[in-house]
Every structure is written in structure tokens, then in C-alpha cells.
Amino acid sequence: MKIAIIGAGNMGGAVARGLAKGSLVKTSDITVSNPSRGKLEALKVEFPELNITCENSRAATRADVVILAVKPWKIQEVIEEIKGGLDYDNQAIASMAGGIGTAQLCTYLDRGDGEYPGVYYLIPNTAIAVMSGMTFMTSVCSTPELDAQMLAMFKEMGDAMLVEERLMDAGMALASCGIAYVMRYIRAATEGGVELGFYAKDAQRVIMQTMKGAVDLLEAGGLHPEMEIDKVTTPGGLTIRGLNAMEEAGFTQSVIKGLRASVKK
């Protein structure tokens, strides 16, 4: 499968790096397009076999899947630039522009003949660059085979879910915005560790390993988080005191309110 990525910014670059590190797509079958060459040259240094160009149409016409990694306000302009040279019977379009769903994408892709390519709306997060991403996708005009290929490609870079389109905004809050929320927790816990006497770098190391351990426990045991919590909250113990203090300060409600605020109304 040949992949074109239009846009070499944070998300476009992250997907390019993730695909190049994987085994399902050859690096030589990936082309990245960007208006300026600086970010392209940086990718080329990391992955010499990667193809780079400043011509969006050139990248798109050679690909089986065209991934649009540009800002929402640039999507229509980019589609208008490339759609004349696309083969809708044999190419798929995947957009990572938040808030622009499949109906709007089809409107932009309409050439007046009633034909459309497979259309995907993707919401990944930046951890895809280190093969630990979480990607949500929804599709129209696709096939089960193409859906399976897309899922496999993004699962190799972490995990991926094909969901109903109504869940895409919620997925963005949990996983895409969620990266920032997890980082904020790490920072807050690190500051707490410094107050307790650790150097910042040591506190951060402890927090990161503890978070990894919590995830590994849930993956290994398949238990609800509360069941793992119960294992370490002895009656009258320190852990339950800490949890209760966090809840008194609004921990759970703060997380839920933050997620709700992240969902586009």
C-alpha cells in the first residue's frame, strides 16, 4: 500500500514517523508533502528512504491512501487542489482535521458524478510517532477489506478503533486531548514529589514507571480499576487517605468536566 501524507506538521510528521517505523508499509512507499521544505528535510534525515515533495498533487496521485494532515481551514483548499487527479475507484482519502466529518469531506470531494472514494475521518494522538498512539476512525463509501487494512495500519502504531461517527468527538477528548491531560497529571505528581523531597527528574521517573505499571496491571488482569485500587487501600491506611483527599479536592469531577469541555458542542 502506497501512502501519501499531505502536511508535515505535528500530526502529519507523527504519522509519517510511525508508519516508517512499522512493518506494514515500506518507507519507500510513503510520500510526505508540505509547502516548505524544513520539516520535510528533517523527516528525510530520520528516514532516508522516505519520499518528500512540496507538490500536493504529485504526492496524492501516486498513493492508494491519501492522508490529509492539515488544519481544518485548509482542508477544502487542499482537496480542491488534488481531487481532479484522484482515481476514486482505487484511492481512499483520510482526513485528520478535527471537527470535519465525513459528510463535509464528501461535499468537498464531490465532482458532480455521484462517485466518491473511500472516505475516512481519523482522530489519532501524537503518541503515534512512538508506536503508542490511540486512533479513532469512521468511514463512508469504503469496503470491509479497506476498513480492515486501515485498522491494521494504525493498530501497528499503537491501537485503533473503528467507531460510529457520533463518538469521534468523545474519542478526541479521551485520546487526543487526553495526551495533554495525562501530561498535566505527570507534571502535577512530579511537583508533589519535589515537595516530598525528590529531585524533579527522579520524581518524574517514578511517576512514569508507576503509570506504566498501572496500565500493565489492567491489561494483564482485565480488571476494573477499582478492583486494583481495593488491593492497595488497606483500612485506615495511607492510600485511602490520599484518595479521599484528592476526591475532596474534586479529582474525579475535574477529570469529567475537563473531558466534557473538550467535546465540541
Side-chain angles (χ1 to χ4, degrees):
M1 183 178 287
K2 296 182 184 299
I3 308 295
I5 302 169
I6 297 181
N10 289 336
M11 285 312 311
V15 172
R17 289 178 174 89
L19 287 173
K21 291 174 183 176
S23 61
L24 296 181
V25 178
K26 295 179 181 178
T27 305
S28 58
D29 286 337
I30 303 168
T31 301
V32 184
S33 174
N34 199 64
S36 57
R37 295 194 65 86
K39 292 176 181 178
L40 294 174
E41 296 293 351
L43 284 169
K44 187 74 171 176
V45 169
E46 288 185 65
F47 306 100
E49 294 182 14
L50 194 74
N51 302 293
I52 59 173
T53 179
C54 293
E55 299 177 25
N56 293 336
S57 294
R58 180 183 177 190
T61 55
R62 299 179 178 182
D64 299 304
V65 177
V66 181
I67 299 175
L68 306 178
V70 298
K71 299 297 184 184
W73 57 85
K74 293 284 289 183
I75 282 289
Q76 184 175 10
E77 176 186 332
V78 170
I79 289 177
E80 288 295 330
E81 180 184 353
I82 67 173
K83 73 179 182 181
L86 295 178
D87 178 358
Y88 283 4
D89 290 331
N90 296 295
Q91 291 181 282
I93 300 292
S95 169
M96 298 196 298
I100 298 183
T102 56
Q104 188 64 65
L105 290 169
C106 286
T107 297
Y108 294 154
L109 288 161
D110 187 5
R111 296 194 294 205
D113 57 5
E115 299 294 325
Y116 297 94
V119 176
Y120 288 84
Y121 175 26
L122 308 176
I123 296 294
N125 62 24
T126 53
I128 205 167
V130 291
M131 313 300 279
S132 290
M134 181 67 230
T135 301
F136 293 90
M137 64 176 67
T138 192
S139 66
V140 293
C141 305
S142 63
T143 64
E145 293 76 17
L146 184 56
D147 286 347
Q149 284 183 309
M150 292 291 286
L151 275 171
M153 187 166 66
F154 281 88
K155 279 185 176 182
E156 191 182 30
M157 296 183 282
D159 200 359
M161 294 176 66
L162 186 68
V163 301
E164 296 176 43
E165 190 153 355
R166 64 181 180 84
L167 292 173
M168 292 297 283
D169 286 348
M172 184 186 301
L174 285 172
S176 186
C177 301
I179 282 282
Y181 304 152
V182 172
M183 295 295 182
R184 182 58 59 88
Y185 169 77
I186 293 172
R187 188 176 81 176
T190 298
E191 290 174 355
V194 172
E195 185 172 330
L196 294 173
F198 280 95
Y199 288 107
K201 63 180 180 63
D202 293 331
Q204 181 173 319
R205 173 184 170 189
V206 170
I207 299 304
M208 289 168 60
Q209 181 59 37
T210 302
M211 291 185 71
K212 181 179 182 300
V215 170
D216 289 346
L217 281 171
L218 292 177
E219 287 185 340
L223 299 177
H224 191 282
E226 283 300 325
M227 297 183 71
E228 293 293 348
I229 290 172
D230 287 345
K231 293 178 182 180
V232 294
T233 49
T234 54
L238 299 175
T239 304
I240 192 62
R241 293 181 192 176
L243 287 170
N244 286 341
M246 290 180 185
E247 288 303 326
E248 186 178 353
F251 180 79
T252 297
Q253 284 304 307
S254 292
V255 172
I256 294 171
K257 285 181 179 179
L259 291 170
R260 284 177 178 167
S262 302
V263 176
K264 184 179 180 181
K265 300 297 185 183

